[in-house]
Amino acid sequence: MRVLVVEDEPDLLASLLQALREDGYAVDGAPDGEDGLFKAEAFDYDAIVLDYMLPKMDGVELLTRLRRTRRTPVLMLTARDGVKDRVLALDTGADDYLVKPFDLEELFARLRALIRRSAQQSQTRIEIKDVVVDIAARTVARGGEQVALTAREYALVEYLAMHSGKLITRSTLYEHLFDENESTLSNLLDVHVSNIRRKLGYDFITTRRGHGYFIDSGTGEAPV
Amino acid sequence: MIVQSLRFRLQLWHGALLVIVLSGFGATAYRTASIDQTRRINDELEFRLENLFRPPPEELRGLQPPPGMQMGMPPPPHDVRMWLGRMLRSRVEQLAAESGSQYYYVAYDENGVATVKTPNTPAALPKRGRPAGAPPRRVFAGPGPPGPLTPREYGIYRDVLRELPHGEAVAVGRSIETDRAELRRLAVSFLAAGAALLVFGLAGGWLLASRAIRPISAISETASKIAAGDLSQRIAVRETASELGQMAQVLNSTFQRLQSAFDRQSRFTSDASHELRTPISVLLSQIQLTLSRDRTTKEYRDALLACQRAAQRMRRLTESLLALARLDAGEEPIHRERFDLTALVRDCIELSRPLAWENEIEFVCELPPVECVGDEDRLAQVVLNLAANAINFNARGGRVRVAAKRRENAAELTVSDTGPGISYEDLPHIFERFYRADRSRSKSQGSSGLGLSICHSIVEAHGGTIAVTSVVGEGTTFIVTLPDTPPAR
């Protein structure tokens, strides 16, 4: 999953970027509203963490403009906890609201919930044949036993599992698994896919040559 | 308690006063009427009595004076008695016939026996006794007044008795029943009128008191709403000239000041807590992140440095807030002493040089010796703050001009920069607490947004003024004026 953090307090931005990266997200950062809007419109993020008060363009304005073109889930951060401020943020289009100072754990949990909701996955445990993907714990188990996956492998499995039944193109996968600073090599994706197949079974991920990958959700429907 | 009610007590006093006044008036009027009536009756009877001794000239002709007696000369004693007796008798009869039966006439001899009386004389006629030890009358000197007149009243009759020199006496009287009835009627009408006036007065008084007191009820109602917590209430003032109107106005302005003070305070605390949340958020995230897994020494060090930055920011913030709070409360008085403003400014510029050098800012100074009266330490804060702002909000390679001047009874300091200036919308707000016009720059410097507020408070505490002008794209100028003696508040 790829996430954008828009926050003007430099130390806080750095902490959040590092924390999210260590939690397995591909993360981009922006120190002001203008830069934030630009990036949010340029890439299809799975979620955006947006500070309320930003230089050049405040969070609410960014959100208003973003919502004209994108439905990316947005979690707003703010130091203001007045009712009016919350209502304004939610009515403008934020999906959730977190008051500073907050615990990182809570931020992660809410982000996960947002992403789950937008992928229309209501459960935190996704079962595909004999493989169980626990999104909250960020673990994968096969036949009851945990399987060790690298961060990138897990991210790929998680993304495909959350969108199980849907065909995901390679470019989409790149967009959602790598941040702007990482160079994307086409081979990388194939390497990850084959490693996953080795660990979780060959038919765990299905390839549509020339189109992309998907995980069969087991409903018997053809992938969209 | 109804007895405690102001209205009731007013009514009580008002009623008591009315009763006293009305009864006093009524009693006096009645008494006057009564006395007048008595006097009238006495005069009337007296007149009759006189008539008795002054028969009209034609009558006199019919009467033969006693031999040897001429009018005006004292007659001899027993002749007078006889003459008198005869005269009286005929006169009395005559008068009785004349005036109808209204008056009665009585003549007493020297033994107090009524010898002559008209037929309508009341049966209960009092005896006329000679009071014991009374001196003999003086000699009757002819027809005329001398001789005491004794009014007598008995039952419904009143008469007037005149004593004659040799012991006889004559009395004229009549029934005063109708007169008495008249007085009684007067008394009754006084009572009735008095009662009506009392009722009317009480009712009117009640209405007036109610009208006067109603505004007080309105005021106390509003005041209790305010006491309950709604500071936005105000008393409706209709007429401002009356005492109540003025009191309402004073109360309203007090409530206004209270409300503003509360608003300021709550805004301040909410702004302050909001400002503190950001560095606390940095601390928390940084610490939680660092602790989430094993880190290298360098990572720990970097994390701690970030925490320190946040902590220092909080320290600056709380110090500024405390300073502002103390200035607001007037807790720390300004020590006024004479000093050279220029020397102070030069010191501050020296302190600011490293910052200026970092930003490639040049100082341009016009600093002749300028005497100033005020608190050196506090004013140093102001100068340093203005200088720091001028450096930070400046173009790279720009200039900061600092000038001190002596004005009439005041010292003036000017600090101007060649920075981007302050926009028209931001200008009125820059002295407000936590107001930041350019957010990105100030955030990274960790400024609190309180610097100018503190300057403003300090300058105001000196009784001075701080003014700002700015042209976007050219620069900003601050002018601080410090009077030698603060203007009277």
Side-chain angles (χ1 to χ4, degrees):
Chain A
M1 301 293 175
R2 191 171 177 187
V3 167
L4 173 67
V5 180
V6 188
E7 166 63 57
D8 62 329
E9 180 63 43
D11 282 337
L12 188 56
L13 178 61
S15 307
L16 288 176
L17 292 177
Q18 187 180 349
L20 287 166
R21 237 171 241 138
E22 286 182 6
D23 206 40
Y25 294 94
V27 202
D28 294 328
D32 61 66
E34 256 177 34
D35 197 18
L37 181 64
F38 175 74
K39 287 189 174 138
E41 284 175 335
F43 304 108
D44 182 28
Y45 290 100
D46 294 290
I48 297 177
V49 177
L50 178 61
D51 188 25
Y52 200 109
M53 307 251 243
L54 296 165
K56 294 192 188 162
M57 186 194 303
D58 73 34
V60 173
E61 200 193 327
L62 191 160
L63 196 48
T64 314
R65 284 158 71 150
L66 180 66
R67 281 289 175 249
R68 292 186 201 142
T69 52
R70 284 205 185 272
R71 291 195 319 215
T72 319
V74 169
L75 173 71
M76 272 193 102
L77 295 177
T78 181
R80 287 199 182 282
D81 68 344
V83 175
K84 280 201 215 113
D85 304 302
R86 294 187 202 233
V87 169
L88 179 63
L90 292 171
D91 279 347
T92 315
D95 297 273
D96 200 356
Y97 194 99
L98 196 56
V99 178
K100 292 182 198 175
F102 51 83
D103 290 299
L104 282 176
E105 286 303 311
E106 192 176 350
L107 177 69
F108 293 154
R110 286 182 186 267
L111 266 182
R112 282 197 292 274
L114 280 184
I115 292 170
R116 229 170 34 234
R117 209 187 309 148
S118 89
Q120 283 150 358
Q121 276 284 358
S122 51
Q123 299 164 308
T124 49
R125 285 160 59 88
I126 304 173
E127 292 181 23
I128 294 145
K129 298 189 191 97
D130 59 342
V131 176
V132 176
V133 183
D134 188 333
I135 297 172
R138 305 186 82 84
T139 57
V140 176
R142 187 185 182 195
E145 280 194 29
Q146 261 204 7
V147 177
L149 294 174
T150 66
R152 199 70 77 184
E153 286 164 7
Y154 173 79
L156 182 55
V157 168
E158 185 189 66
Y159 195 86
L160 286 173
M162 293 263 272
H163 296 93
S164 65
K166 297 191 192 109
L167 179 69
I168 314 291
T169 64
R170 293 166 71 86
S171 57
T172 305
L173 279 174
Y174 277 123
E175 204 181 342
H176 284 262
L177 297 181
F178 298 93
D179 63 51
E180 59 181 353
N181 297 322
E182 295 172 301
S183 54
T184 54
L185 299 169
S186 298
N187 295 349
L188 224 48
L189 208 52
D190 298 320
V191 169
H192 290 313
V193 169
S194 68
N195 282 340
I196 289 168
R197 280 183 169 139
R198 217 174 353 101
K199 293 179 187 177
L200 297 177
Y202 186 81
D203 49 354
F204 187 68
I205 296 178
T206 312
T207 308
R208 240 336 127 70
R209 249 206 152 51
H211 292 324
Y213 302 97
F214 67 94
I215 284 180
D216 190 351
S217 57
T219 58
E221 294 169 13
V224 285
Chain B
M1 275 285 302
I2 185 160
V3 185
Q4 302 295 341
S5 151
L6 192 62
R7 204 179 304 199
F8 182 79
R9 279 191 284 172
L10 259 181
Q11 197 69 341
L12 209 59
W13 285 107
H14 178 55
L17 193 66
L18 263 183
V19 164
I20 289 171
V21 165
L22 284 175
S23 10
F25 173 75
T28 311
Y30 179 83
R31 181 134 176 76
T32 309
S34 172
I35 290 175
D36 263 0
Q37 191 185 70
T38 306
R39 189 174 306 133
R40 235 184 331 109
I41 296 174
N42 282 353
D43 284 352
E44 194 185 307
L45 293 175
E46 230 178 272
F47 179 69
R48 293 273 157 219
L49 203 55
E50 291 308 311
N51 261 356
L52 201 57
F53 293 100
R54 285 191 220 169
E58 50 275 15
E59 284 180 29
L60 272 176
R61 283 187 226 111
L63 281 174
Q64 292 291 334
M69 179 182 146
Q70 285 169 17
M71 279 297 161
M73 298 266 303
H78 56 263
D79 286 345
V80 167
R81 273 205 299 267
M82 271 196 337
W83 174 84
L84 212 54
R86 258 186 304 162
M87 187 191 87
L88 267 181
R89 207 166 300 146
S90 67
R91 187 86 183 104
V92 161
E93 278 158 17
Q94 195 175 37
L95 282 174
E98 228 174 59
S99 55
S101 54
Q102 192 184 26
Y103 296 95
Y104 63 85
Y105 297 81
V106 183
Y108 295 90
D109 67 10
E110 69 271 21
N111 296 318
V113 177
T115 49
V116 183
K117 358 188 227 198
T118 52
N120 57 0
T121 304
L125 189 69
K127 297 254 181 291
R128 178 230 159 217
R130 180 173 303 215
R137 299 274 76 121
R138 54 185 162 84
V139 173
F140 184 54
L149 236 49
T150 314
R152 308 186 301 177
E153 192 168 314
Y154 51 99
I156 56 169
Y157 295 96
R158 188 179 183 82
D159 60 27
V160 173
L161 182 84
R162 163 165 287 157
E163 295 191 24
L164 298 175
H166 300 289
E168 306 95 347
V170 177
V172 171
R174 68 171 173 79
S175 154
I176 54 169
E177 198 172 3
T178 48
D179 304 85
R180 288 267 187 78
E182 201 180 290
L183 264 188
R184 268 201 303 276
R185 272 201 302 280
L186 188 68
V188 165
S189 61
F190 270 147
L191 275 173
L197 279 175
L198 185 66
V199 167
F200 183 71
L202 283 175
W206 181 262
L207 281 172
L208 285 176
S210 297
R211 272 196 62 186
I213 291 181
R214 206 183 317 131
I216 298 182
S217 308
I219 288 173
S220 61
E221 206 182 294
T222 309
S224 35
K225 275 196 211 144
I226 290 170
D230 182 5
L231 282 174
S232 62
Q233 293 281 329
R234 297 285 176 271
I235 302 164
V237 182
R238 252 163 301 157
E239 5 106 13
T240 53
S242 76
E243 291 90 339
L244 282 178
Q246 285 182 333
M247 178 175 95
Q249 278 189 310
V250 167
L251 281 175
N252 275 347
S253 75
T254 308
F255 297 146
Q256 183 61 44
R257 284 211 317 278
L258 258 180
Q259 190 180 20
S260 307
F262 271 109
D263 282 347
R264 261 205 312 275
Q265 180 168 45
S266 78
R267 231 189 2 251
F268 190 68
T269 38
S270 87
D271 280 343
S273 70
H274 159 74
E275 289 293 322
L276 280 171
R277 280 177 197 223
T278 308
I280 291 175
S281 182
V282 169
L283 265 182
L284 199 56
S285 300
Q286 191 64 241
I287 291 170
Q288 284 179 337
L289 169 66
T290 308
L291 290 174
S292 66
R293 58 173 78 168
D294 286 336
R295 305 278 176 194
T296 66
T297 310
K298 179 179 186 306
E299 282 175 316
Y300 282 126
R301 180 171 289 128
D302 288 340
L304 286 172
L305 284 171
C307 291
Q308 188 180 58
R309 280 195 292 275
Q312 279 173 338
R313 186 150 148 214
M314 285 193 280
R315 180 179 65 177
R316 274 196 301 273
L317 185 66
T318 47
E319 278 173 356
S320 302
L321 285 174
L322 274 172
L324 269 176
R326 286 207 196 97
L327 281 168
D328 273 352
E331 264 174 42
E332 298 192 31
I334 303 285
H335 302 287
R336 304 191 74 85
E337 52 201 7
R338 281 188 183 278
F339 66 96
D340 182 5
L341 180 64
T342 305
L344 177 71
V345 171
R346 274 193 222 279
D347 286 341
C348 293
I349 290 177
E350 280 312 308
L351 282 170
S352 311
R353 276 211 195 279
L355 186 63
W357 188 78
E358 241 178 69
N359 290 282
E360 297 174 24
I361 299 293
E362 188 197 331
F363 272 109
V364 173
C365 305
E366 293 161 23
L367 299 171
V370 169
E371 202 182 63
C372 177
V373 179
D375 190 320
E376 260 195 277
D377 289 333
R378 297 295 172 77
L379 290 173
Q381 262 185 295
V382 173
V383 178
L384 281 170
N385 194 285
L386 290 176
N389 281 351
I391 294 170
N392 286 325
F393 294 89
N394 209 330
R396 232 177 160 73
R399 285 203 319 277
V400 171
R401 182 178 152 266
V402 183
K405 212 190 299 189
R406 179 80 202 157
R407 289 219 179 265
E408 192 183 308
N409 296 327
E412 187 186 272
L413 172 71
T414 309
V415 178
S416 49
D417 61 62
T418 54
I422 302 169
S423 74
Y424 182 71
E425 298 88 45
D426 290 326
L427 211 52
H429 301 291
I430 58 168
F431 291 112
E432 278 172 26
R433 299 170 183 197
F434 301 118
Y435 192 87
R436 290 197 198 78
D438 178 7
R439 303 190 38 123
S440 61
R441 195 190 307 235
S442 46
K443 261 279 174 76
S444 62
Q445 247 108 28
S447 104
S448 61
L450 289 174
L452 282 175
S453 306
I454 294 178
C455 289
H456 187 256
S457 290
I458 292 175
V459 170
E460 278 223 320
H462 279 79
T465 57
I466 178 167
V468 61
T469 56
S470 183
V471 180
V472 173
E474 282 180 26
T476 312
T477 303
F478 284 89
I479 305 176
V480 176
T481 311
L482 297 162
D484 293 338
T485 45
R489 285 188 165 269

